[in-house]
Amino acid sequence: MPQTIDLLNKALEIKNAAKWQHDLNLSNSAIYTAKKRGRLSPTLAGQFAIALKEDPVRWTAIAALEAEPDSPLLEELRKRVTDCILC
């Protein structure tokens, strides 16, 4: 399954972190924090997707799945949603 950190890396190939922070009105630590965590929040994933002309619903769903702690319920949801996300 795609990961939101891949979306962030794609964005950083286009503009540096400072430019994204300015353009999206982010705090100075938002991108650093996302890199440290290895994922974007659903809101940031959606905003980067919009900026990169990608599907924000898809990326928001991926980010939501990444943000949840592992559990049997999450695994079941991930299995059901993955087919839809990869369309």
Side-chain angles (χ1 to χ4, degrees):
M1 180 160 72
Q3 296 181 314
T4 59
I5 198 69
D6 300 326
L7 182 66
L8 176 59
N9 289 332
K10 183 177 179 179
L12 292 173
E13 288 175 6
I14 296 168
K15 297 180 197 177
N16 67 34
K19 182 70 172 148
W20 281 114
Q21 289 166 344
H22 177 267
D23 291 352
L24 297 177
N25 195 29
L26 302 174
S27 71
N28 290 339
S29 64
I31 292 176
Y32 170 79
T33 301
K35 283 180 147 187
K36 185 176 177 183
R37 289 182 179 164
R39 62 178 175 80
L40 292 170
S41 71
T43 302
L44 278 180
Q47 289 301 311
F48 276 114
I50 290 166
L52 297 173
K53 296 184 178 11
E54 298 216 11
D55 182 0
V57 174
R58 175 179 185 249
W59 283 106
T60 300
I62 293 168
L65 290 172
E66 288 177 352
E68 287 294 314
D70 283 334
S71 72
L73 289 175
L74 176 63
E75 199 52 44
E76 180 64 27
L77 181 61
R78 187 176 281 131
K79 286 176 189 174
R80 293 178 183 265
V81 171
T82 299
D83 290 339
C84 202
I85 287 176
L86 296 176
C87 297

